[in-house]
Amino acid sequence: MKICPTCRKTYADDNLNFCLEDGSVLTFSSSEPPPTVMMSQPRPTDPTAVFPSTQNQGIQSTFGQQPQPYSMQQPKKSSKAWLLIVGIVGIIILLCGGGFAGLVFIGMNSNQNQSNNSTYPLPNNGRVNTNPSPASSPFSSTTSSSDVETVDLSFWVKDSSVWGTTEMSGDEFLMAAKQKGYYYVLVAPDDYTTDGKNVRVTVRNVDNANSSLGYGLIFHSAPTPLTKDYAFLIDTKRKKYRVVRHEPSKETSMVSWKDSSAIKDGSQENVLEAHDKGDTIELYINSEMVTSFKDQFGQPNGVPGLYSGDGAKIGFKKLEIWK
C-alpha cells in the first residue's frame, strides 16, 4: 500500500507513483515493506514528458527538465570588446592619422589648385612656384638709365605664402623656401624680357646656410613660373655652381655641380649674369665667364626671376636687364 505524504490519501495499487489529488510522489505505508527495485528497470526517456515537482521525495529526479541550448560546459563566448577598440583606433587613424599622410596630401593638393602655382611633390626636389604680383601690380615702377633697366624688388614682397617667405631689409630682398628639399621661385611678368638681352643679380647667402639645391638667377622664363626657363645657381658654402632648366613638374640638369674659384664664399655677395648671344647663352660669376651653352629650351621673350632652395635665406638686389 502507498500513501501521499501531503494529503495522506492511501492507494492499494503499488504501481501508482503519484498522488491523484496533488501530484506528490507516493511513499510506501510504514506498515508494509517497499518492493524490491530491479536495477535493469528502464528509465523514462521521453524528453517531452512533464513531471511534477520532486520536493520532499526521497530520490531526486531530473527527468522532464528541458536542457538549455548548449550545456553548462559550453565555452564562454569571447569578448568582442577588442573588436570595438580596434574599430575606434582604425577610425582615429583614418581621420587624424592615416593621419599624417592624409593631412600632408590635402595640403599639397590645395596648393596645386592655386592660380600661378605649379607645385609638384617630386622626389628630392619639391618645388613652389608663384608669380610675385598680379597683373595689376606696379611692376612698371623701375629705375632705369639709357642702358640698364632695374626691377624694383620691393614689389615682390608677399604678405604670406604657404611655401616661402619674402621681405625687404634695406635695399636687399630676402627670400627663402619654407622647408628642406623644396625651392621657391618668383618671376617677373611679361613687362620685362631677357630675350636678346643680358640680365644680372647680386646674390648673398645671409646665414651661410647649407643648400643642396642652390640659389640664384632665373632667366628666359615663361611668365608662369617653372613651366619653361633656365636657372643659374650657386652654392657659396661649397663654392660650386650648376645650371638647370624647367618644364612643368620637371627640373633637368644641364650643367651638374662644378667647382669655381670665381665664387666668393660665406655670406659675401656674388654677381650672377646671363648674356644672350643669339643662339648661345654665356654665364658669368663676378664678371668671370664660367660656362656657355646653346639656347634650345628658353622661353621666347622670356622674363627674369629668382630661385632660393632648401630653406636657406637668400638676399637679392640689383636685378637688372640691359642690352
Side-chain angles (χ1 to χ4, degrees), residues 104-105 107-109 111-112 117-129 163 179 181-183 249-250:
V104 171
F105 180 76
M108 285 182 172
N109 279 317
N111 283 281
Q112 287 176 356
N117 191 327
S118 304
T119 303
Y120 300 94
L122 298 180
N124 302 321
N125 287 340
R127 68 279 310 275
V128 178
N129 321 317
W163 302 102
Q179 66 185 83
Y182 281 73
Y183 49 87
S249 76
K250 185 177 182 181

Side-chain angles (χ1 to χ4, degrees), residues 241-261:
Y241 75 90
R242 70 175 181 137
V243 182
V244 300
R245 64 182 177 87
H246 292 112
E247 302 170 75
S249 76
K250 185 177 182 181
E251 180 177 272
T252 301
S253 177
M254 298 182 62
V255 177
S256 298
W257 284 112
K258 284 190 174 182
D259 296 327
S260 176
S261 59

Side-chain angles (χ1 to χ4, degrees), residues 169-242:
S169 177
D171 63 347
E172 194 171 46
F173 174 71
L174 303 179
M175 171 177 155
K178 283 189 174 179
Q179 66 185 83
K180 297 287 289 183
Y182 281 73
Y183 49 87
Y184 191 38
V185 168
L186 300 176
V187 303
D190 55 13
D191 300 56
Y192 301 92
T193 178
T194 56
D195 191 27
K197 298 181 180 179
N198 307 320
V199 60
R200 67 185 167 214
V201 69
T202 300
V203 182
R204 185 172 74 93
N205 186 339
V206 176
D207 302 314
N208 193 27
N210 293 319
S211 177
S212 62
L213 297 176
Y215 34 86
L217 176 65
I218 295 283
F219 61 97
H220 286 6
S221 170
T224 299
L226 295 174
T227 55
K228 196 171 187 179
D229 68 39
Y230 295 113
F232 180 27
L233 310 172
I234 62 172
D235 178 355
T236 55
K237 199 172 183 69
R238 297 183 296 160
K239 298 187 70 172
K240 292 178 179 289
Y241 75 90
R242 70 175 181 137

Side-chain angles (χ1 to χ4, degrees), residues 142-163:
T142 60
T143 58
S144 54
S145 66
S146 57
D147 296 322
V148 179
E149 184 178 26
T150 303
V151 180
D152 189 343
L153 296 177
S154 66
F155 291 114
W156 292 36
V157 175
K158 302 173 68 65
D159 292 335
S160 63
S161 169
V162 174
W163 302 102

Side-chain angles (χ1 to χ4, degrees), residues 51-113:
F51 294 87
S53 171
T54 59
Q55 290 181 355
N56 300 322
Q57 72 179 41
I59 301 174
Q60 298 294 323
S61 172
T62 59
F63 291 115
Q65 296 180 4
Q66 294 293 327
Q68 294 294 322
Y70 309 103
S71 71
M72 293 179 63
Q73 300 302 317
Q74 175 192 1
K76 289 186 178 180
K77 295 182 180 180
S78 61
S79 171
K80 302 298 183 180
W82 68 274
L83 291 175
L84 179 60
I85 294 172
V86 170
I88 292 173
V89 171
I91 292 172
I92 292 173
I93 291 175
L94 181 62
L95 295 178
C96 301
F100 292 108
L103 292 176
V104 171
F105 180 76
I106 292 171
M108 285 182 172
N109 279 317
S110 65
N111 283 281
Q112 287 176 356
N113 293 328

Side-chain angles (χ1 to χ4, degrees), residues 37-42:
V37 177
M38 300 298 292
M39 295 305 295
S40 61
Q41 179 180 352

